[in-house]
Amino acid sequence: MVPSLCANAERRNHQNESVANRRAEEPLPEMGLDVEQQRAWLAYMRVNLELTYEMNHQLLAESELSLSDYHVLSKLHQAPHRRLRIATLAREIGWERSRASHQVGRMTQRGLINTERATDDKRGTEVTVTDHGTRAFRAARRGHVALVQDLFFRGLPEDLLAPLTEALEHVYTNIVDRGSGHRGTA
């Protein structure tokens, strides 16, 4: 392992040990969560932050894509005709429209995607994948999936997969129903 990566890994391990040692303590009063809620929230945040770091690091090291590029290409590959409006793309990824527009601009300059006026009303902008974007996504997907298998699923006991999936689906539904993107629309 590269020396700087070793130092980063040691630092993160020390931080994780410190957080793990705090689990048994009383909840942090400023969090406003009980002990089990705090434990679940901090565990989720550690996994989310560390996995995001690892996925982005792996993609940048092994492909020409960042994790943000990968998110965009993944959503476009799931869409009918590999085409989405920028606003829809932003909503599906969980970004502000301006962030999606900037990301699309950078990816367009690199030849990964194209933009054009929406075919149905000419007001919106639609994003499509180029052949270069498809090749880059397919090449990156192999390493990305291997990393997810190794870091996420290998660390998850098989008997916890279904309950975790169900719990995350419930949380996601609550976020969609009650989150900022939907307030005032009910």
Side-chain angles (χ1 to χ4, degrees):
M1 190 180 273
V2 178
S4 64
L5 293 177
C6 288
N8 286 341
E10 287 178 25
R11 179 185 49 79
R12 284 196 314 274
N13 285 339
H14 177 69
Q15 289 171 339
N16 289 340
E17 288 171 11
S18 297
V19 171
N21 291 337
R22 282 199 309 254
R23 279 191 227 152
E25 297 176 12
E26 289 296 313
L28 299 171
E30 64 274 7
M31 285 190 76
L33 302 173
D34 68 35
V35 174
E36 287 304 309
Q37 289 173 332
Q38 180 177 303
R39 181 176 174 215
W41 179 248
L42 292 176
Y44 163 76
M45 291 302 296
R46 282 191 311 274
V47 167
N48 179 46
L49 293 170
E50 193 68 22
L51 193 56
T52 298
Y53 169 83
E54 292 294 339
M55 290 186 298
N56 194 53
H57 180 78
Q58 177 270 326
L59 284 165
L60 289 171
E62 296 178 13
S63 74
E64 63 180 282
L65 303 179
S66 68
L67 186 56
S68 295
D69 296 336
Y70 190 87
H71 286 317
V72 169
L73 292 172
S74 178
K75 282 298 177 187
L76 288 170
H77 276 83
Q78 295 168 36
H81 309 291
R82 296 186 177 156
R83 172 184 300 272
L84 286 173
R85 285 177 171 255
I86 287 182
T88 303
L89 177 66
R91 188 173 47 253
E92 289 194 12
I93 294 175
W95 291 348
E96 296 289 332
R97 190 185 185 290
S98 62
R99 178 177 177 189
S101 293
H102 287 293
Q103 182 68 32
V104 163
R106 288 188 294 272
M107 292 175 72
T108 300
Q109 289 176 345
R110 291 169 40 220
L112 297 166
I113 57 179
N114 284 324
T115 59
E116 56 189 54
R117 285 276 167 224
T119 55
D120 57 350
D121 67 6
K122 304 292 184 207
R123 290 182 301 157
T125 301
E126 291 183 329
V127 182
T128 58
V129 182
T130 64
D131 290 341
H132 175 64
T134 295
R135 286 189 304 275
F137 176 70
R138 287 181 180 157
R141 185 172 52 195
R142 286 185 287 276
H144 177 73
V145 170
L147 181 86
V148 170
Q149 287 282 1
D150 186 42
L151 296 183
F152 188 85
F153 290 107
R154 187 166 290 148
L156 182 65
E158 193 173 318
D159 61 322
L160 294 180
L161 180 58
L164 176 64
T165 301
E166 186 175 345
L168 291 172
E169 287 170 345
H170 281 283
V171 171
Y172 178 78
T173 298
N174 187 58
I175 293 168
V176 169
D177 290 346
R178 301 171 56 103
S180 63
H182 303 280
R183 288 190 188 127
T185 59

